[in-house]
Amino acid sequence: MRPLVILRPEPGAGKTAERAAELGLLARVHPLFAPAVVEWQAPAPDRFDALLLTSANAARLAGDRLADYRDLPAYAVGRATAKALEAAGFASVVAGAGDGTAIAQRIAADGHRSVLHLAGRTAAPIEAGPLRIERIAVYEMQRTSDDGLAERLEPGSILLVHSPRAGEILAQRVGGQQRAALHLIAISPAALAACGMGWASAQAPDMPDDERMLALAVRLCE
């Protein structure tokens, strides 16, 4: 069976590995990043009429001040982020099924205009439309040391890439000749493009979803 190499940081990597194991896949975790807390100043909640998170790490690492915004309508880019917000005490979270722009459109359609976006130091751009979005970084992703990723990759391995930044790092660490024997599944077209060319196969699911990524991996292993 082809090994499945999960490059996302913990705790998401472990959850992906558990789902992969349930599907009968041989999963190996090799995070390219580790999340770290960033000191931030929490603005007054009454300046906003909605809260937006586009990463579960923002909910986990924002700290005690996140509770200041529990009275705001809360929106999450996807199910995993929504669950992290609920675990942080938010009673009702609207979860999107696309990217940041898609959930921004939902926020606008619900009649909100001033939005607080708690995110990582680097975050995918969002087309705000009529919204006024104030983004505040509450965490950052720090690169792990290069401990021989390229040397560990067996020919035929399937690599899971969960962000454009991870794709950039992967492209730096794995050269063109080795890529021809490796398969790539990226969470989005942007993440796919960041990985560069020359892979044995490279694809992204129709929606940026972990389950859809794993479904593609199962097909590659058939």
Side-chain angles (χ1 to χ4, degrees), residues 141-178:
M141 302 303 297
Q142 297 180 348
R143 290 177 58 170
T144 58
S145 61
D146 189 346
D147 55 354
L149 170 64
E151 292 76 12
R152 289 177 156 190
L153 296 177
E154 300 175 17
S157 295
I158 303 167
L159 313 183
L160 295 191
V161 179
H162 281 78
S163 70
R165 184 61 181 140
E168 293 173 3
I169 301 303
L170 180 65
Q172 293 170 9
R173 295 188 179 181
V174 179
Q177 185 172 359
Q178 187 179 14

Side-chain angles (χ1 to χ4, degrees), residues 25-118:
L25 299 172
L26 177 61
R28 299 172 181 172
V29 174
H30 194 108
L32 297 180
F33 302 96
V37 173
V38 169
E39 294 295 328
W40 62 289
Q41 297 296 319
D46 59 10
R47 290 176 45 197
F48 308 97
D49 48 34
L51 174 70
L52 168 63
L53 269 70
T54 50
S55 167
N57 281 319
R60 299 186 189 106
L61 301 178
D64 295 341
R65 297 306 302 271
L66 180 62
D68 295 354
Y69 307 104
R70 285 180 183 160
D71 290 336
L72 292 175
Y75 293 81
V77 71
R79 290 175 294 172
T81 304
K83 289 179 180 179
L85 270 171
E86 290 166 355
F90 287 77
S92 180
V93 182
V94 177
D99 58 9
T101 296
I103 193 64
Q105 291 171 348
R106 171 64 187 274
I107 295 171
D110 287 348
H112 306 301
R113 287 298 177 266
S114 183
V115 180
L116 174 61
H117 179 196
L118 301 182

